[in-house]
Short mmCIF file of all heavy atoms in Angstrom, two decimals:
data_model
loop_
_atom_site.label_atom_id
_atom_site.label_comp_id
_atom_site.label_asym_id
_atom_site.label_seq_id
_atom_site.Cartn_x
_atom_site.Cartn_y
_atom_site.Cartn_z
N PHE A 29 -9.46 -103.46 -20.76
CA PHE A 29 -9.09 -104.96 -20.85
C PHE A 29 -10.23 -105.78 -21.26
O PHE A 29 -10.15 -106.64 -22.20
CB PHE A 29 -8.59 -105.37 -19.55
CG PHE A 29 -8.29 -106.87 -19.52
CD1 PHE A 29 -7.15 -107.43 -20.15
CD2 PHE A 29 -9.19 -107.67 -18.75
CE1 PHE A 29 -6.99 -108.77 -20.11
CE2 PHE A 29 -8.90 -109.11 -18.73
CZ PHE A 29 -7.87 -109.64 -19.37
N LEU A 30 -11.44 -105.59 -20.69
CA LEU A 30 -12.56 -106.43 -20.95
C LEU A 30 -13.01 -106.18 -22.31
O LEU A 30 -13.39 -107.22 -23.07
CB LEU A 30 -13.73 -106.23 -19.98
CG LEU A 30 -13.43 -106.80 -18.55
CD1 LEU A 30 -14.59 -106.29 -17.62
CD2 LEU A 30 -13.24 -108.26 -18.62
N ASN A 31 -13.02 -105.08 -22.81
CA ASN A 31 -13.49 -104.67 -24.24
C ASN A 31 -12.56 -105.41 -25.24
O ASN A 31 -12.90 -105.92 -26.24
CB ASN A 31 -13.42 -103.22 -24.49
CG ASN A 31 -14.83 -102.44 -24.07
OD1 ASN A 31 -15.97 -103.11 -24.24
ND2 ASN A 31 -14.78 -101.40 -23.63
N GLU A 32 -11.18 -105.25 -25.05
CA GLU A 32 -10.24 -105.97 -25.79
C GLU A 32 -10.41 -107.54 -25.69
O GLU A 32 -10.38 -108.12 -26.71
CB GLU A 32 -8.86 -105.62 -25.30
CG GLU A 32 -7.74 -106.19 -26.34
CD GLU A 32 -6.38 -105.61 -25.89
OE1 GLU A 32 -6.17 -104.46 -25.32
OE2 GLU A 32 -5.36 -106.47 -26.19
N LEU A 33 -10.68 -108.02 -24.67
CA LEU A 33 -10.92 -109.54 -24.42
C LEU A 33 -12.10 -109.97 -25.37
O LEU A 33 -12.17 -110.95 -26.03
CB LEU A 33 -11.02 -109.84 -23.05
CG LEU A 33 -11.31 -111.32 -22.60
CD1 LEU A 33 -10.03 -112.12 -23.03
CD2 LEU A 33 -11.68 -111.47 -21.16
N ILE A 34 -13.20 -109.19 -25.27
CA ILE A 34 -14.43 -109.57 -25.91
C ILE A 34 -14.15 -109.53 -27.40
O ILE A 34 -14.68 -110.30 -28.10
CB ILE A 34 -15.55 -108.56 -25.54
CG1 ILE A 34 -16.00 -108.77 -24.02
CG2 ILE A 34 -16.81 -108.70 -26.44
CD1 ILE A 34 -16.91 -107.58 -23.49
N GLY A 35 -13.40 -108.53 -27.90
CA GLY A 35 -13.22 -108.36 -29.28
C GLY A 35 -12.16 -109.25 -29.91
O GLY A 35 -12.25 -109.61 -31.10
N THR A 36 -11.22 -109.80 -29.06
CA THR A 36 -10.21 -110.70 -29.67
C THR A 36 -10.10 -112.01 -29.28
O THR A 36 -9.46 -112.87 -29.94
CB THR A 36 -8.84 -109.95 -29.25
OG1 THR A 36 -8.67 -110.05 -27.87
CG2 THR A 36 -8.73 -108.61 -29.75
N SER A 37 -10.93 -112.46 -28.24
CA SER A 37 -10.86 -113.86 -27.86
C SER A 37 -11.62 -114.76 -28.65
O SER A 37 -12.81 -114.56 -29.06
CB SER A 37 -11.48 -113.99 -26.30
OG SER A 37 -11.53 -115.26 -25.96
N GLU A 38 -10.87 -115.87 -29.10
CA GLU A 38 -11.52 -116.81 -29.98
C GLU A 38 -12.13 -117.93 -29.13
O GLU A 38 -12.86 -118.72 -29.72
CB GLU A 38 -10.52 -117.37 -30.95
CG GLU A 38 -9.93 -116.31 -31.99
CD GLU A 38 -8.88 -116.84 -32.90
OE1 GLU A 38 -8.68 -118.04 -32.91
OE2 GLU A 38 -8.28 -116.00 -33.57
N SER A 39 -11.75 -118.04 -27.82
CA SER A 39 -12.26 -119.09 -27.01
C SER A 39 -13.56 -118.77 -26.29
O SER A 39 -14.28 -119.61 -25.83
CB SER A 39 -11.24 -119.49 -26.09
OG SER A 39 -10.92 -118.37 -25.19
N LEU A 40 -14.09 -117.48 -26.41
CA LEU A 40 -15.27 -117.01 -25.71
C LEU A 40 -16.37 -117.45 -26.79
O LEU A 40 -16.32 -117.26 -27.89
CB LEU A 40 -15.29 -115.56 -25.49
CG LEU A 40 -14.59 -115.06 -24.24
CD1 LEU A 40 -14.65 -113.43 -24.26
CD2 LEU A 40 -15.21 -115.62 -22.96
N THR A 41 -17.45 -117.96 -26.04
CA THR A 41 -18.64 -118.21 -26.83
C THR A 41 -19.45 -116.86 -27.04
O THR A 41 -19.16 -115.90 -26.41
CB THR A 41 -19.62 -119.27 -26.18
OG1 THR A 41 -19.95 -118.67 -24.87
CG2 THR A 41 -18.91 -120.57 -25.87
N ASN A 42 -20.50 -116.97 -27.78
CA ASN A 42 -21.31 -115.74 -27.95
C ASN A 42 -21.93 -115.44 -26.64
O ASN A 42 -22.12 -114.24 -26.32
CB ASN A 42 -22.31 -115.88 -29.03
CG ASN A 42 -21.76 -115.78 -30.50
OD1 ASN A 42 -20.68 -115.15 -30.69
ND2 ASN A 42 -22.34 -116.43 -31.41
N VAL A 43 -22.28 -116.48 -25.85
CA VAL A 43 -23.01 -116.27 -24.52
C VAL A 43 -21.92 -115.56 -23.61
O VAL A 43 -22.38 -114.60 -22.92
CB VAL A 43 -23.53 -117.57 -24.04
CG1 VAL A 43 -24.04 -117.39 -22.59
CG2 VAL A 43 -24.67 -118.07 -24.90
N GLY A 44 -20.76 -116.00 -23.69
CA GLY A 44 -19.68 -115.49 -22.78
C GLY A 44 -19.41 -114.08 -23.16
O GLY A 44 -19.28 -113.24 -22.30
N LYS A 45 -19.44 -113.85 -24.48
CA LYS A 45 -19.19 -112.39 -24.91
C LYS A 45 -20.31 -111.56 -24.45
O LYS A 45 -20.11 -110.41 -23.98
CB LYS A 45 -18.99 -112.31 -26.44
CG LYS A 45 -17.74 -112.85 -26.91
CD LYS A 45 -17.41 -112.77 -28.46
CE LYS A 45 -16.13 -113.34 -28.77
NZ LYS A 45 -15.82 -113.17 -30.17
N ALA A 46 -21.55 -111.92 -24.56
CA ALA A 46 -22.64 -111.26 -24.14
C ALA A 46 -22.62 -111.00 -22.66
O ALA A 46 -22.98 -109.82 -22.16
CB ALA A 46 -23.96 -111.94 -24.48
N GLU A 47 -22.33 -111.93 -21.89
CA GLU A 47 -22.28 -111.70 -20.46
C GLU A 47 -21.06 -110.67 -20.03
O GLU A 47 -21.29 -109.86 -19.13
CB GLU A 47 -21.94 -113.12 -19.68
CG GLU A 47 -23.15 -113.94 -19.73
CD GLU A 47 -24.36 -113.38 -19.10
OE1 GLU A 47 -24.34 -112.92 -18.01
OE2 GLU A 47 -25.42 -113.47 -19.72
N LEU A 48 -19.98 -110.89 -20.67
CA LEU A 48 -18.91 -109.84 -20.40
C LEU A 48 -19.27 -108.45 -20.80
O LEU A 48 -18.91 -107.57 -20.22
CB LEU A 48 -17.56 -110.28 -21.19
CG LEU A 48 -16.64 -111.21 -20.39
CD1 LEU A 48 -15.36 -111.61 -21.23
CD2 LEU A 48 -16.24 -110.61 -19.09
N THR A 49 -20.00 -108.28 -21.87
CA THR A 49 -20.60 -107.00 -22.33
C THR A 49 -21.42 -106.43 -21.35
O THR A 49 -21.34 -105.24 -21.08
CB THR A 49 -21.20 -107.29 -23.77
OG1 THR A 49 -20.30 -107.70 -24.78
CG2 THR A 49 -21.72 -105.90 -24.23
N LYS A 50 -22.18 -107.26 -20.73
CA LYS A 50 -23.06 -106.67 -19.67
C LYS A 50 -22.21 -106.18 -18.49
O LYS A 50 -22.52 -105.16 -17.90
CB LYS A 50 -23.97 -107.82 -19.04
CG LYS A 50 -25.13 -108.24 -19.97
CD LYS A 50 -25.90 -109.36 -19.34
CE LYS A 50 -26.86 -109.93 -20.28
NZ LYS A 50 -27.67 -111.10 -19.72
N VAL A 51 -21.13 -106.94 -18.19
CA VAL A 51 -20.29 -106.42 -17.10
C VAL A 51 -19.62 -105.09 -17.44
O VAL A 51 -19.52 -104.17 -16.69
CB VAL A 51 -19.15 -107.53 -16.71
CG1 VAL A 51 -18.08 -107.02 -15.75
CG2 VAL A 51 -19.85 -108.78 -16.24
N VAL A 52 -19.04 -105.13 -18.63
CA VAL A 52 -18.55 -103.83 -19.18
C VAL A 52 -19.47 -102.66 -18.98
O VAL A 52 -19.16 -101.52 -18.59
CB VAL A 52 -17.98 -103.93 -20.60
CG1 VAL A 52 -17.62 -102.61 -21.08
CG2 VAL A 52 -16.75 -104.90 -20.64
N ARG A 53 -20.78 -102.89 -19.42
CA ARG A 53 -21.80 -101.73 -19.33
C ARG A 53 -22.06 -101.36 -17.91
O ARG A 53 -22.12 -100.21 -17.71
CB ARG A 53 -23.12 -102.27 -19.83
CG ARG A 53 -23.42 -101.66 -21.13
CD ARG A 53 -24.83 -102.07 -21.63
NE ARG A 53 -24.65 -102.50 -23.05
CZ ARG A 53 -24.99 -103.70 -23.41
NH1 ARG A 53 -25.67 -104.58 -22.69
NH2 ARG A 53 -24.80 -104.02 -24.68
N VAL A 54 -22.00 -102.35 -17.00
CA VAL A 54 -22.19 -101.89 -15.52
C VAL A 54 -20.94 -101.10 -15.15
O VAL A 54 -21.11 -100.04 -14.50
CB VAL A 54 -22.37 -103.18 -14.71
CG1 VAL A 54 -22.27 -102.81 -13.10
CG2 VAL A 54 -23.76 -103.84 -14.97
N LEU A 55 -19.87 -101.58 -15.38
CA LEU A 55 -18.62 -100.87 -15.05
C LEU A 55 -18.49 -99.47 -15.68
O LEU A 55 -18.14 -98.47 -15.06
CB LEU A 55 -17.25 -101.53 -15.37
CG LEU A 55 -17.03 -102.90 -14.68
CD1 LEU A 55 -15.83 -103.60 -15.37
CD2 LEU A 55 -16.73 -102.62 -13.34
N TYR A 56 -18.94 -99.40 -16.99
CA TYR A 56 -18.94 -98.14 -17.64
C TYR A 56 -19.99 -97.13 -16.91
O TYR A 56 -19.68 -95.96 -16.86
CB TYR A 56 -19.33 -98.34 -19.10
CG TYR A 56 -19.35 -97.21 -20.01
CD1 TYR A 56 -18.14 -96.86 -20.64
CD2 TYR A 56 -20.43 -96.40 -20.28
CE1 TYR A 56 -18.09 -95.76 -21.44
CE2 TYR A 56 -20.36 -95.27 -21.02
CZ TYR A 56 -19.20 -94.97 -21.70
OH TYR A 56 -19.14 -93.93 -22.55
N ASN A 57 -21.20 -97.70 -16.62
CA ASN A 57 -22.04 -96.82 -15.82
C ASN A 57 -21.55 -96.31 -14.51
O ASN A 57 -21.65 -95.14 -14.22
CB ASN A 57 -23.39 -97.53 -15.63
CG ASN A 57 -24.19 -97.66 -16.93
OD1 ASN A 57 -23.96 -96.86 -17.90
ND2 ASN A 57 -24.96 -98.69 -17.03
N ILE A 58 -20.91 -97.18 -13.85
CA ILE A 58 -20.27 -96.77 -12.60
C ILE A 58 -19.20 -95.71 -12.77
O ILE A 58 -19.13 -94.67 -12.11
CB ILE A 58 -19.59 -97.95 -11.87
CG1 ILE A 58 -20.77 -98.98 -11.37
CG2 ILE A 58 -18.76 -97.54 -10.71
CD1 ILE A 58 -20.10 -100.29 -10.87
N TYR A 59 -18.38 -95.91 -13.81
CA TYR A 59 -17.26 -95.00 -14.12
C TYR A 59 -17.88 -93.63 -14.47
O TYR A 59 -17.31 -92.70 -13.99
CB TYR A 59 -16.57 -95.63 -15.23
CG TYR A 59 -15.41 -94.72 -15.84
CD1 TYR A 59 -14.32 -94.43 -15.11
CD2 TYR A 59 -15.44 -94.28 -17.14
CE1 TYR A 59 -13.26 -93.66 -15.56
CE2 TYR A 59 -14.43 -93.51 -17.67
CZ TYR A 59 -13.32 -93.23 -16.80
OH TYR A 59 -12.34 -92.53 -17.40
N TYR A 60 -18.85 -93.68 -15.37
CA TYR A 60 -19.26 -92.25 -15.81
C TYR A 60 -20.40 -91.68 -14.89
O TYR A 60 -20.38 -90.51 -14.83
CB TYR A 60 -19.73 -92.41 -17.27
CG TYR A 60 -18.68 -92.36 -18.24
CD1 TYR A 60 -18.16 -93.46 -18.81
CD2 TYR A 60 -17.86 -91.23 -18.46
CE1 TYR A 60 -17.05 -93.60 -19.60
CE2 TYR A 60 -16.73 -91.33 -19.29
CZ TYR A 60 -16.44 -92.47 -19.87
OH TYR A 60 -15.28 -92.48 -20.69
N ASP A 61 -21.28 -92.44 -14.36
CA ASP A 61 -22.31 -91.94 -13.60
C ASP A 61 -21.89 -91.53 -12.20
O ASP A 61 -22.03 -90.41 -11.74
CB ASP A 61 -23.54 -92.74 -13.56
CG ASP A 61 -24.17 -92.97 -14.90
OD1 ASP A 61 -23.91 -92.18 -15.83
OD2 ASP A 61 -24.81 -93.91 -15.07
#
Side-chain angles (χ1 to χ4, degrees):
F29 170 76
L30 289 173
N31 274 328
E32 187 174 326
L33 182 66
I34 292 166
T36 60
S37 178
E38 295 178 11
S39 60
L40 278 176
T41 63
N42 284 338
V43 172
K45 287 182 180 185
E47 291 302 310
L48 272 179
T49 300
K50 288 179 191 176
V51 170
V52 169
R53 246 185 237 124
V54 169
L55 292 174
Y56 187 86
N57 286 335
I58 292 168
Y59 176 67
Y60 283 103
D61 294 342

